């Protein structure tokens, strides 16, 4: 690229939303994807060509496998995203993927260098550590893991990044804002590193969206995010039921697990676990003071870092709602039984509807076949076959020698 072109494009800003997972990251990249055309008309580029290319690009940049496999289609995905960002003529590019936060210094340098001379900004959304522990465990459940919540937290507290794989490295490498942003600050000036704070989750993503738009300069009015739900955290009953189901269905579903569980269970079947209420989760009592103290330490480090803040760092240390909560390991068996009945009833209803849809589709297919056969008969009647035409000519010659 010529120096002249570099100079012409130096006013462009690229915002990389790098996490944290569980802090409405999934909502954010879905909102950007579904509004990509509206954003483009407003001068903002979301440089992905498919709804999962953001994931492929980060797998490529970080040279990772996922679930023990690496898709060859990921190769070159980061460079393709970068090319679209560099070719964009507008002032702003926005990319979102919660696993970017785990990049090494070498990978961060590669990412930033590839996007220059644009001004690269980094955005990290987070909330208090207690909720991040809860939300990350629930995300692990959505990927077929079966570890109990109590064991998950015990290991992360006692052993930190050295907790059993993949939990130690995955949690502290992606959720510790000081650790994550310290790595990105090795390649991005601190005035372009931004912390976006969030209070405890309530199922509404609007605060995240409003703060993200203010930070990036996106006009929120040009986008439509209605219907893109972040969803509340799983209740203690739902989470424990999913964990137990994973022990049975994880090995059976294998590669179909993610699609089946996300499409038919989480947010659908689990919501049908009638009669169990929405008993929210909390931390084990033995770790509540530790989590509060560690959150205060992280917050003070962020306050001293000089990073920009969208929101209020005080939200990270605000005492959580002291209302009743339940640990998954303490969920009574009768609640699990009630929830199981609700889930089975929901899935049987979905299965019945699916059979009806399949039957209707089969009937449509058969009707289409009948219609095609009728059309062929009509064509044959209108245009006699060559054999029939030859027979008619022979008969005519016999009558007229």
């Amino acid at each position: 690229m010529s120096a002249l072109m570099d100079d012409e494009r130096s006013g462009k800003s690229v915002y990389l939303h790098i996490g944290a997972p569980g802090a409405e990251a999934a909502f954010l990249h879905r909102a950007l994807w579904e509004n990509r055309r509206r954003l483009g008309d407003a001068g903002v580029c979301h440089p992905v060509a498919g709804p999962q290319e953001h994931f492929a690009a980060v797998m490529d940049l970080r040279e990772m496998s996922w679930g023990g496999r690496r898709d060859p289609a990921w190769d070159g995905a980061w460079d393709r995203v970068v090319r679209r960002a560099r070719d964009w003529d507008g002032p702003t590019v926005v990319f979102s993927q919660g696993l970017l936060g785990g990049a090494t210094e070498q990978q961060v340098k590669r990412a930033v260098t590839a996007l220059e001379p644009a001004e690269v900004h980094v955005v990290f959304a987070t909330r208090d550590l207690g909720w991040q522990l809860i939300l990350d465990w629930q995300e692990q459940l959505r990927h077929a893991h079966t570890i109990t919540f109590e064991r998950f937290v015990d290991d992360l507290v006692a052993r930190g990044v050295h907790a059993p794989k993949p939990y130690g490295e995955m949690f502290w490498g992606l959720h510790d804002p000081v650790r994550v942003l310290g790595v990105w600050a090795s390649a991005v000036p601190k005035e372009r590193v931004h912390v976006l704070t969030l209070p405890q989750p309530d199922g509404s993503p609007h605060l995240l969206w409003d703060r993200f738009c203010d930070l990036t300069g996106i006009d929120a009015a040009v986008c439509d995010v209605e219907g893109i739900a972040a969803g509340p955290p799983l209740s203690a009953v739902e989470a424990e039921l999913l964990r137990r189901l994973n022990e049975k269905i994880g090995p059976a579903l294998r590669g179909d697990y993610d699609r089946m569980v996300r499409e038919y269970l989480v947010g659908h079947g689990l919501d049908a676990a009638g009669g169990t209420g929405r008993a929210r989760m909390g931390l084990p009592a033995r770790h509540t003071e530790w989590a509060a103290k560690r959150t205060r330490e992280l917050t003070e480090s962020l306050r001293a870092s000089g990073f920009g803040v969208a929101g209020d760092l005080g939200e990270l240390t605000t005492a959580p709602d002291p209302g009743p909560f339940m640990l998954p390991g303490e969920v009574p068996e009768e609640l699990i039984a009630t929830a199981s009945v609700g889930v089975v009833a929901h899935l049987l209803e979905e299965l019945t509807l699916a059979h009806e849809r399949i039957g209707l589709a089969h009937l449509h297919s058969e009707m289409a076949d009948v219609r095609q056969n009728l059309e062929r008969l009509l064509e044959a009647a209108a245009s006699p076959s060559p054999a029939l035409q030859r027979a008619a000519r022979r008969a005519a010659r016999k009558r007229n020698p």
Side-chain angles (χ1 to χ4, degrees):
M1 184 177 290
S2 69
L4 177 60
M5 292 180 68
D6 279 354
D7 290 341
E8 290 174 348
R9 299 187 181 191
S10 61
K12 186 187 304 180
S13 294
V14 177
Y15 290 87
L16 300 177
H17 169 244
I18 64 169
E24 277 85 79
F27 161 83
L28 199 52
H29 63 66
R30 187 178 167 196
L32 293 172
W33 166 253
E34 294 192 7
N35 285 281
R36 63 195 182 282
R37 292 186 176 88
R38 294 183 180 93
L39 289 167
D41 292 341
V44 179
C45 172
H46 182 47
V48 295
Q52 293 301 315
E53 193 179 22
H54 63 92
F55 178 77
V58 175
M59 292 296 98
D60 181 37
L61 173 68
R62 294 187 57 190
E63 301 177 328
M64 288 179 64
S65 61
W66 193 258
R69 59 180 287 273
R70 179 172 174 81
D71 190 333
W74 298 343
D75 295 340
W78 176 256
D79 291 335
R80 290 192 290 274
V81 166
V82 167
R83 191 178 310 117
R84 295 185 199 112
R86 292 179 65 93
D87 290 344
W88 182 246
D89 291 330
T92 307
V93 177
V94 179
F95 179 84
S96 171
Q97 223 303 317
L99 296 175
L100 261 180
T104 65
E105 285 195 11
Q106 183 178 5
Q107 292 161 353
V108 164
K109 183 177 180 180
R110 176 194 164 194
V112 173
T113 300
L115 291 164
E116 290 174 340
E119 279 194 355
V120 178
H121 293 250
V122 175
V123 182
F124 185 85
T126 189
R127 52 170 52 92
D128 80 84
L129 191 59
W131 268 112
Q132 289 301 108
L133 285 163
I134 292 170
L135 295 171
D136 190 65
W137 177 70
Q138 293 189 359
E139 187 62 22
Q140 299 295 344
L141 296 185
R142 291 179 173 91
H143 289 89
H145 290 280
T146 61
I147 188 171
T148 66
F149 179 60
E150 291 83 348
R151 176 64 183 275
F152 177 79
V153 178
D154 284 347
D155 285 345
L156 289 173
V157 171
R159 303 177 63 182
V161 73
H162 302 295
K165 292 183 178 181
Y167 309 115
E169 184 177 352
M170 285 285 284
F171 183 82
W172 292 113
L174 293 172
H175 291 269
D176 181 337
V178 175
R179 178 189 178 103
V180 171
L181 294 178
V183 174
W184 280 88
S186 66
V188 177
K190 66 180 180 181
E191 62 269 18
R192 292 195 230 140
V193 176
H194 311 276
V195 182
L196 193 159
T197 65
L198 294 170
Q200 66 181 47
D202 61 2
S204 171
H206 292 296
L207 183 61
L208 166 71
W209 181 245
D210 290 343
R211 288 178 178 178
F212 184 77
C213 287
D214 286 344
L215 175 59
T216 58
I218 293 174
D219 180 359
V222 307
C223 298
D224 181 8
V225 297
E226 295 301 322
I228 307 177
L234 296 176
S235 70
V237 179
E238 292 167 339
E240 178 60 13
L241 177 56
L242 178 58
R243 189 194 69 79
R244 295 190 190 188
L245 284 171
N246 283 346
E247 295 176 340
K248 302 292 185 182
I249 65 177
L253 293 178
R254 297 181 183 174
D256 285 331
Y257 177 92
D258 189 67
R259 178 179 64 85
M260 296 296 289
V261 168
R262 289 180 183 269
E263 289 185 16
Y264 297 105
L265 200 57
V266 176
H268 302 282
L270 290 179
D271 285 350
T276 63
R278 291 286 308 174
R280 69 179 181 88
M281 284 183 56
L283 288 180
R286 59 186 176 275
H287 295 314
T288 52
E289 182 53 38
W290 172 89
K293 181 174 181 292
R294 184 66 184 272
T295 300
R296 288 193 298 270
E297 293 170 351
L298 292 171
T299 302
E300 289 309 310
S301 294
L302 291 173
R303 202 182 302 278
S305 68
F307 300 150
V309 177
D312 182 356
L313 288 175
E315 288 176 319
L316 304 184
T317 55
T318 300
D321 180 0
F325 68 88
M326 187 182 296
L327 292 173
E330 297 174 353
V331 174
E333 290 300 317
E334 57 266 28
L335 289 185
I336 293 292
T338 301
S340 299
V341 171
V343 169
V344 169
H346 170 81
L347 294 179
L348 286 174
E349 182 181 352
E350 286 293 309
L351 184 61
T352 301
L353 293 174
H355 275 290
E356 290 176 356
R357 288 192 293 268
I358 291 170
L360 191 59
H362 182 63
L363 178 60
H364 283 313
S365 177
E366 288 187 338
M367 290 177 65
D369 290 341
V370 170
R371 188 164 50 249
Q372 289 177 358
N373 289 334
L374 284 172
E375 290 172 352
R376 292 193 192 100
L377 287 172
L378 291 171
E379 289 174 1
S383 303
S385 68
L388 185 60
Q389 291 174 357
R390 287 194 298 272
R393 285 196 295 272
R394 285 196 299 272
R397 284 198 295 273
K398 289 179 181 179
R399 289 195 301 269
N400 301 291

